[in-house]
Amino acid sequence: MDREAETFQALADTTRLRLLNLLRQTGEVCVCEFVDALRLPQYSISRHLQILRQAGWVDDRKRGKWVYYAISKDLEPYRRLLLRALEQLGEECEDFRQDEARAGRRLKLRRDGLCCVGLVQRIGAAKASH
């Protein structure tokens, strides 16, 4: 039962729900893309991704200097149901929609399907202010 408790504890944070929502929609995302999409510091994103990884929600892989995260392929059926519930929540949550819009813009910067620019949060924020 400890594993199941850890599953739900990992979901007990808004940032982690936002991360899972983006992964559910986009597939594989690197840390710097999350930083730009959620507008949170890298250390915060990394800490939350580590919690999700330890709880079995996400897998990671390193490619060059980037670390990519994806929803675990080995999720139990009840976890898949929780992800579907997250999808329904996303239809009602403005934060999710804003994250998705920023992620969509950020993912367009990829080359050959991979992140290649690192952090651009400040560039995006500067453009938004003009």
Side-chain angles (χ1 to χ4, degrees):
M1 196 62 151
D2 289 341
R3 177 84 171 150
E4 289 77 13
E6 187 177 21
T7 292
F8 285 97
Q9 287 173 346
L11 298 179
D13 181 90
T14 304
T15 299
R16 292 191 290 272
L17 292 175
R18 292 169 67 194
L19 291 167
L20 283 174
N21 180 61
L22 287 181
L23 285 173
R24 183 186 57 75
Q25 292 191 348
T26 59
E28 196 173 57
V29 181
C30 81
V31 173
C32 57
E33 291 168 330
F34 278 129
V35 167
D36 290 334
L38 274 64
R39 294 184 173 171
L40 293 172
Q42 180 272 326
Y43 65 85
S44 178
I45 296 290
S46 293
R47 181 174 50 87
H48 287 292
L49 286 167
Q50 180 182 14
I51 291 167
L52 289 170
R53 188 178 52 74
Q54 289 173 340
W57 280 104
V58 300
D59 296 324
D60 63 345
R61 75 176 176 95
K62 188 165 175 80
R63 181 164 178 148
K65 62 181 176 177
W66 287 277
V67 179
Y68 290 86
Y69 289 84
I71 300 277
S72 176
K73 293 178 179 112
D74 299 326
L75 289 183
E76 298 91 338
Y78 80 93
R79 287 183 187 229
R80 295 200 183 279
L81 286 171
L82 290 169
L83 284 177
R84 280 191 228 131
L86 186 63
E87 180 179 357
Q88 290 182 321
L89 175 63
E91 294 172 6
E92 303 169 15
C93 183
E94 182 62 28
D95 286 343
F96 281 12
R97 287 192 292 274
Q98 290 175 3
D99 293 344
E100 293 160 13
R102 286 189 298 267
R105 289 189 298 272
R106 179 56 165 87
L107 293 172
K108 287 180 183 176
L109 299 175
R110 286 182 167 194
R111 290 192 197 129
D112 298 321
L114 298 172
C115 180
C116 59
V117 296
L119 295 174
V120 295
Q121 181 178 19
R122 292 172 197 242
I123 295 168
K127 286 181 183 178
S129 67
H130 288 91

